[in-house]
Amino acid sequence: MSVSKISKGLLLGLALLLATSVFAANNKGSMQVTDSVSVNGKQLPAGEYTVRWDGAGPNVELNILRGKNVVATVPARMVDLEQSPNRDSVITVNNDGRKSLNEIRFSGRKYAFTINAESAKAESNGTNK
């Protein structure tokens, strides 16, 4: 094998590694809930969370973490927004007095994640937090 073939192979491998790490850096965001909220049957207390997702859309799986621990996993749908929000926010719906997470929006990103597992039964009177 020639040196040029080995160099090309190493260069291609490095390019793939860099592309993967750039994508991985874009698959997480922050979420803060001010009241206890239900996600996929689990009750999350108010606080700060990290959201990570697998997949490039439209269907993804969200992992919601508190610290380093995954506290909820839920399927979601990535939807395009007309403009990117200027801050992170969550939209909840009221299900018989209990708040359920319906949508997550991240600052500077022109997409959001809708969570329909519980919200399909709910009224569409979400509140922006």
Side-chain angles (χ1 to χ4, degrees), residues 58 77-81 103-105 110-114 116:
R77 185 161 182 82
M78 184 183 286
V79 295
D80 292 327
L81 301 173
E103 187 172 290
I104 305 171
R105 297 178 180 184
K110 290 187 80 171
Y111 56 86
F113 294 107
T114 60
N116 292 319

Side-chain angles (χ1 to χ4, degrees), residues 3-129:
V3 173
S4 66
K5 284 186 179 181
I6 293 172
S7 297
K8 287 180 184 177
L10 288 174
L11 186 61
L12 179 62
L14 181 62
L16 287 172
L17 181 63
L18 288 174
T20 303
S21 65
V22 166
F23 178 74
N26 288 329
N27 69 345
K28 73 176 184 176
S30 296
M31 173 181 85
Q32 183 171 354
V33 292
T34 56
D35 297 314
S36 181
V37 64
S38 176
V39 178
N40 204 23
K42 296 184 180 182
Q43 201 68 20
L44 302 182
E48 184 75 26
Y49 296 88
T50 300
V51 181
R52 293 184 187 219
W53 55 92
D54 292 323
N59 297 314
V60 297
E61 182 175 89
L62 300 180
N63 290 308
I64 301 173
L65 298 92
R66 189 148 200 188
K68 294 183 180 182
N69 300 320
V70 175
V71 294
T73 301
V74 62
R77 185 161 182 82
M78 184 183 286
V79 295
D80 292 327
L81 301 173
E82 288 184 24
Q83 36 181 312
S84 57
N86 59 3
R87 63 185 175 103
D88 296 338
S89 62
V90 297
I91 296 174
T92 59
V93 292
N94 200 354
N95 287 328
D96 299 322
R98 297 181 122 191
K99 289 186 178 184
S100 296
L101 185 62
N102 189 358
E103 187 172 290
I104 305 171
R105 297 178 180 184
F106 298 108
S107 173
R109 298 188 184 175
K110 290 187 80 171
Y111 56 86
F113 294 107
T114 60
I115 301 163
N116 292 319
E118 293 177 74
S119 62
K121 303 177 276 184
E123 302 172 21
S124 61
N125 62 348
T127 57
N128 204 355
K129 296 281 176 188

